[in-house]
Amino acid sequence: DQQVKQNSPSLSVQEGRISILNCDYTNSMFDYFLWYKKYPAEGPTFLISISSIKDKNEDGRFTVFLNKSAKHLSLHIVPSQPGDSAVYFCAASSIYGGATNKLIFGTGTLLAVQP
Amino acid sequence: GAVVSQHPSRVICKSGTSVKIECRSLDFQATTMFWYRQFPKKSLMLMATSNEGSKATYEQGVEKDKFLINHASLTLSTLTVTSAHPEDSSFYICSARIGEGTYNEQFFGPGTRLTVL
């Protein structure tokens, strides 16, 4: 049962344009969401997060939007740069998971930014 | 930022042997470390949660006798794949969490590519 889904396995955008990566979740208990960036043969690196009490969080070129009613979040990257090319994972957790803070990851979206 | 290392980065072994993977938090103490496994083009699957000085908590479907986890200190957790078989070949990633807060960020290691022949 995939509780966190990223339905687009890949996305290609032109440099300078906006990249929009989408993520859907099924568990209404999730209340904290994160985006990670991952290069091949490396561990994920944290990008940005959002709590369920917010619907938007912005950090430089990266903005995450959360639509709780639709159980949907998205990551916007603008402007996109070739160095942004990587696999992006969304992840979710729940305060009800306790102190272990388990993260449930989506399947990832491979972003390719074309020069 | 917080740095997590893994050793080795890549290991190739024969079927039936055991392989130990180390995860270290280099500049912070991690009371909780996590072990993940990633299959090609798949998500990161949490295998177990490791707390310093106590037994690891394994996710459903993960064999605790197959994947031995030891969190001996606040900066080191080890994963031992016992009697490895080709189906254990995968990319294993650890992460470490600073502090006890519910939403404290996890920092990931670079991963270990295990290939069992």
Side-chain angles (χ1 to χ4, degrees):
Chain A
D1 178 30
Q2 189 71 33
Q3 297 186 68
V4 180
K5 302 176 184 179
Q6 293 174 257
N7 291 320
S8 297
S10 63
L11 174 68
S12 181
V13 299
Q14 286 293 120
E15 181 178 5
R17 309 294 288 269
I18 185 171
S19 295
I20 300 177
L21 299 106
N22 293 303
C23 179
D24 297 292
Y25 61 96
T26 57
N27 190 339
S28 58
M29 302 296 274
F30 289 145
D31 54 6
Y32 193 68
F33 306 89
L34 309 91
W35 283 95
Y36 284 86
K37 177 180 180 179
K38 184 181 181 299
Y39 294 112
E42 292 185 12
T45 54
F46 171 76
L47 270 179
I48 192 169
S49 63
I50 188 167
S51 161
S52 61
I53 62 173
K54 295 184 175 181
D55 54 18
K56 176 183 175 181
N57 189 25
E58 188 173 354
D59 183 2
R61 296 186 297 115
F62 302 92
T63 303
V64 56
F65 295 91
L66 175 63
N67 182 335
K68 288 188 294 293
S69 60
K71 294 190 180 66
H72 176 85
L73 64 154
S74 61
L75 174 68
H76 292 211
I77 306 173
V78 56
S80 300
Q81 300 172 353
D84 295 329
S85 298
V87 176
Y88 289 78
F89 288 96
C90 68
S93 69
S94 168
I95 190 172
Y96 296 100
T100 59
N101 192 24
K102 293 197 300 186
L103 294 179
I104 308 299
F105 281 86
T107 50
T109 297
L110 174 61
L111 173 65
V113 180
Q114 310 296 333
Chain B
V3 179
V4 176
S5 70
Q6 278 183 246
H7 177 80
S9 59
R10 184 184 298 266
V11 57
I12 301 172
C13 69
K14 293 182 179 180
S15 185
T17 60
S18 294
V19 175
K20 179 185 283 189
I21 303 170
E22 292 186 350
C23 177
R24 293 182 185 271
S25 55
L26 298 185
D27 49 3
F28 66 98
Q29 293 184 330
T31 53
T32 305
M33 289 184 171
F34 302 86
W35 286 95
Y36 294 84
R37 181 175 180 178
Q38 186 186 22
F39 293 100
K41 299 183 180 181
K42 296 289 186 183
S43 179
L44 282 79
M45 301 299 295
L46 179 65
M47 298 175 65
T49 302
S50 168
N51 291 293
E52 186 266 339
S54 63
K55 291 184 178 180
T57 302
Y58 290 81
E59 295 299 301
Q60 190 174 11
V62 178
E63 300 176 57
K64 59 181 68 177
D65 295 330
K66 173 76 171 176
F67 300 98
L68 300 178
I69 292 172
N70 183 16
H71 195 154
S73 75
L74 288 172
T75 59
L76 173 65
S77 177
T78 60
L79 167 68
T80 302
V81 183
T82 62
S83 187
H85 291 284
E87 58 265 30
D88 299 324
S89 299
S90 192
F91 192 58
Y92 293 88
I93 306 174
C94 73
S95 71
R97 187 167 66 97
I98 297 175
E100 297 295 334
T102 305
Y103 294 134
N104 285 355
E105 182 184 333
Q106 291 184 30
F107 297 91
F108 286 82
T112 297
R113 170 71 61 192
L114 170 63
T115 303
V116 185
L117 303 177

